[in-house]
Amino acid sequence: MKKVFTLLLFGLLLSSCSFEQVLLKGAKPVSHPVTQTPAYKALNPYQQDYLFAARLIRESYPDWESILSPAAFDALEQAGIAALALPCSPQEFRWELQRLLATFRNDHTRQLKSWYPKEPLFYPYQLNYAPRNEGYGWYIERIDSIYGASWIGCWVDQIGNRCLDSLSAAFGEMTAREHEYGIRDDLYRRWLFSRPRLLARMDVDTAQGLSLECSCPDGPRQLRVAPGPSKSFNLQSQKPRRSHSKPRQDGFWYQAIEDKGYGYFQFNGMFDREVVMDGLKTYVRAPIRPLARLFLRREYRRALKGKSTRWIRPNAEDFDAFLQEVFTDLNAKNLRTLVIDLRNNGGGDLEMARPLLYALAPQAAVRPIQDYIYLSPLSMSQFQEEWKALDRACQKLNQSLPADGTLVNVDSLEIAAGLEQADFFAPVMDPRSPVYFRPPVPEYDGQVIFLVGPQTGSAAAGLATLVKDNGIGQLVGTVVSERPEGATAVSRVNLPNSKEEISISVWYKKRPAPEAPKDVLLPDHWVEADKDSYLNTADPVLNWVEMHLIGR
């Protein structure tokens, strides 16, 4: 009866608001003293929300003064408030809010919904980027079949009245991505060049239709296109389909490529069931956690039966059992190379790196990424468990809690207080840990290659950093989505009036190798497809690995 009542209560909550609003800590607005000031009360609602967000960033974002001087932040704040004077639409507010957040060039400091307008219609093409003339250019990767395949591969020099270099730079100023490679990838994957309303907002003349000035193999050509519903297009591309390396929905997936002498492991999400359940204490409000556990158990049961679920990836149940199967198969078939593909892994929980690296290098003295929490009212409300751990460690060491505005390494304090072990692999050997690796631990001494790129994000980028800085494998590809050192982690905040949801990073990470660059994680082998190899090869990066690294 109790279970039935719980399910009914949970159903009632879900029917009245979204899943995230029920579960996540950011569902109710964070308070801030600025809301009680006369200056705040004199503003219109959108201006109030903009000022609220700006003040939260000032007190919560670590090391923001390395990006902006206080005077420059003042000017940015004043310009945004002036731009939001009435009359103002919700879309104009989202636009100015994005300008503010994008200033910090941080994947985790952003709007959690789209900053650009919804589009009922699209232009019938997708542009992709590739090296061109000592820089990068944009070409037609896919186009509606009514225009013909001869346009595929043509460089686009101008859209309407704007040249591509100028337009892509303007779009780039609006993204939160952390470097030029991530910015280009963001423009590509969000189809920003195909959105009529967005192009008009960027001063592209679309009144009489749209023309693209192109450089094609047979010379300059002009393509005129008309917008339409995306479902009406028959987009075609000449790119061959991938076989085993095609992106999958699975959390983790493995196949032995025996004819070429390697195993292929596609790792698409840094979480399994135990890690997700453990993560509830960080991201879900305490009164709701039992309901969340009940809901997630049901979702995992659905996923195990092959049913689609919005919240759980298929084949993401038991990571250590999966690793046992992978390494047992590699050894049984004498495959001396394992390729781990992180190119479609947007992140999750970095704790998942521990069992993987333990299986690859159990004797290694792994230098960890150092995580610091920036003390503020926002970080205290969002990461209560970490604040409790900090308080326990300070009490044990007879210290007072550090003041707000301080960066604190909670793990180091816990180790100093004897509350945690310094060994990176200690959680893997603890049966109470969500990343416990049940023995026997497989032994594998073959070479390990990690494929990385601009979609390797958050915790997956952290895994790539651990691999690189500890010499546990080789990285192949381009750069990951974010810097190896800097502000990180999502904290969810609903703005008081508009209810727009944003994230402000309140953690700061330091890479294990202090002598290495802080702004970019360079792979061991830079492999970037040019336009022709991308269009004519199923997987140029994996092809390069097969030709140059496997069996050598």
Side-chain angles (χ1 to χ4, degrees), residues 337-515:
T337 299
L338 173 61
V339 175
I340 302 178
D341 194 342
L342 300 177
R343 290 175 293 175
N344 296 291
N345 192 325
D349 193 329
L350 189 56
E351 288 296 294
M352 289 281 284
R354 297 183 194 268
L356 175 59
L357 298 184
Y358 188 59
L360 295 175
Q363 304 305 317
V366 174
R367 294 180 294 173
I369 293 172
Q370 299 292 323
D371 287 320
Y372 295 75
I373 190 168
Y374 189 69
L375 302 189
S376 69
L378 178 60
S379 65
M380 183 171 68
S381 69
Q382 296 279 315
F383 295 95
Q384 295 173 10
E385 294 298 319
E386 287 74 8
W387 270 74
K388 290 177 183 177
L390 172 62
D391 187 44
R392 287 194 299 268
C394 288
Q395 289 184 26
K396 191 86 172 177
L397 296 169
N398 294 317
Q399 298 178 4
S400 58
L401 276 171
D404 284 352
T406 306
L407 274 174
V408 178
N409 188 323
V410 181
D411 290 335
S412 294
L413 275 177
E414 288 188 292
I415 291 168
L419 301 175
E420 292 285 347
Q421 298 184 47
D423 183 0
F424 180 82
F425 291 132
V428 178
M429 295 176 278
D430 182 355
R432 299 166 298 176
S433 165
V435 291
Y436 174 58
F437 204 131
R438 290 162 292 187
V441 177
E443 294 183 5
Y444 181 71
D445 59 359
Q447 73 167 335
V448 185
I449 298 164
F450 290 81
L451 308 184
V452 295
Q455 287 295 303
T456 307
S458 195
L463 169 59
T465 302
L466 288 169
V467 168
K468 173 81 172 180
D469 287 4
N470 288 285
I472 293 174
Q474 301 179 72
L475 302 185
V476 179
T478 59
V479 296
V480 300
S481 73
E482 57 192 64
R483 305 179 194 92
E485 190 158 314
T488 189
V490 169
S491 62
R492 306 172 74 107
V493 177
N494 276 10
L495 299 178
N497 300 308
S498 64
K499 308 306 179 187
E500 291 292 334
E501 192 171 25
I502 64 172
S503 170
I504 299 172
S505 294
V506 295
W507 287 80
Y508 191 91
K509 62 186 176 186
K510 293 187 178 181
R511 71 181 298 178
E515 70 281 0

Side-chain angles (χ1 to χ4, degrees), residues 25-319:
K25 291 178 180 175
K28 58 183 180 181
V30 176
S31 61
H32 192 281
V34 72
T35 61
Q36 305 305 314
T37 63
Y40 176 90
K41 294 177 180 179
L43 300 174
N44 70 51
Y46 290 127
Q47 292 172 319
Q48 288 177 346
D49 277 2
Y50 186 93
L51 179 60
F52 184 92
R55 294 301 167 87
L56 273 183
I57 292 171
R58 284 182 188 259
E59 72 173 30
S60 308
Y61 187 90
D63 200 27
W64 65 262
E65 289 183 81
S66 67
I67 302 166
L68 285 175
S69 68
F73 203 151
D74 288 343
L76 176 66
E77 185 179 290
Q78 291 164 10
I81 291 172
L84 292 171
L86 292 175
C88 177
S89 69
Q91 182 54 52
E92 284 299 316
F93 170 67
R94 285 191 289 271
W95 192 269
E96 290 302 324
L97 181 63
Q98 183 65 18
R99 285 186 190 277
L100 170 67
L101 298 171
T103 301
F104 298 90
R105 285 275 173 257
N106 183 270
D107 279 1
H108 297 94
T109 300
R110 55 185 172 84
Q111 293 185 68
L112 295 177
K113 295 181 180 178
S114 297
W115 53 269
Y116 41 81
K118 291 184 178 180
E119 302 274 3
L121 304 176
F122 288 82
Y123 290 114
Y125 57 80
Q126 183 182 23
L127 304 189
N128 201 349
Y129 62 96
R132 184 190 188 194
N133 298 335
E134 307 299 325
Y136 284 82
W138 293 86
Y139 66 90
I140 298 173
E141 179 190 346
R142 297 200 289 172
I143 192 167
D144 191 3
S145 58
I146 65 171
Y147 296 92
S150 65
W151 291 102
I152 295 173
C154 290
W155 294 106
V156 178
D157 301 313
Q158 186 167 315
I159 294 182
N161 55 312
R162 295 202 62 172
C163 72
L164 252 291
D165 289 344
S166 167
L167 186 57
S168 60
F171 278 141
E173 291 176 358
M174 297 295 292
T175 75
R177 301 301 295 274
E178 300 192 4
H179 48 65
E180 59 176 311
Y181 301 99
I183 290 171
R184 282 191 290 270
D185 195 68
D186 208 36
L187 307 191
Y188 163 62
R189 294 183 182 276
R190 295 180 186 273
W191 293 61
L192 296 193
F193 296 110
S194 305
R195 297 175 174 271
R197 290 179 176 176
L198 183 57
L199 289 175
R201 182 63 176 78
M202 302 300 285
D203 298 322
V204 175
D205 184 4
T206 60
Q208 305 300 321
L210 189 69
S211 62
L212 279 65
E213 302 296 332
C214 303
S215 296
C216 300
D218 57 353
R221 296 167 63 189
Q222 184 184 78
L223 171 65
R224 294 193 64 82
V225 293
S230 59
K231 292 182 179 179
S232 69
F233 300 148
N234 178 26
L235 293 176
Q236 58 180 351
S237 173
Q238 69 184 46
K239 184 173 177 61
R241 291 185 177 274
R242 296 190 200 177
S243 54
H244 56 275
S245 69
K246 67 180 180 182
R248 299 174 180 273
Q249 291 300 312
D250 306 67
F252 21 90
W253 182 87
Y254 167 80
Q255 182 176 341
I257 315 300
E258 294 184 73
D259 59 326
K260 295 186 177 178
Y262 70 95
Y264 174 80
F265 163 21
Q266 191 172 114
F267 193 8
N268 293 327
M270 298 282 286
F271 43 77
D272 69 355
R273 179 172 179 154
E274 291 301 317
V275 166
V276 169
M277 292 297 183
D278 183 69
L280 295 180
K281 68 176 182 283
T282 297
Y283 289 103
V284 176
R285 289 178 286 155
I288 309 296
R289 286 175 200 160
L291 302 178
R293 291 190 187 96
L294 190 64
F295 175 80
L296 289 173
R297 288 192 187 104
R298 189 194 71 171
E299 293 292 280
Y300 272 107
R301 286 195 296 269
R302 287 172 56 84
L304 282 173
K305 295 176 181 178
K307 297 180 180 179
S308 61
T309 167
R310 180 180 174 186
W311 306 106
I312 303 298
R313 281 184 178 270
N315 300 322
E317 176 82 9
D318 193 337
F319 192 48

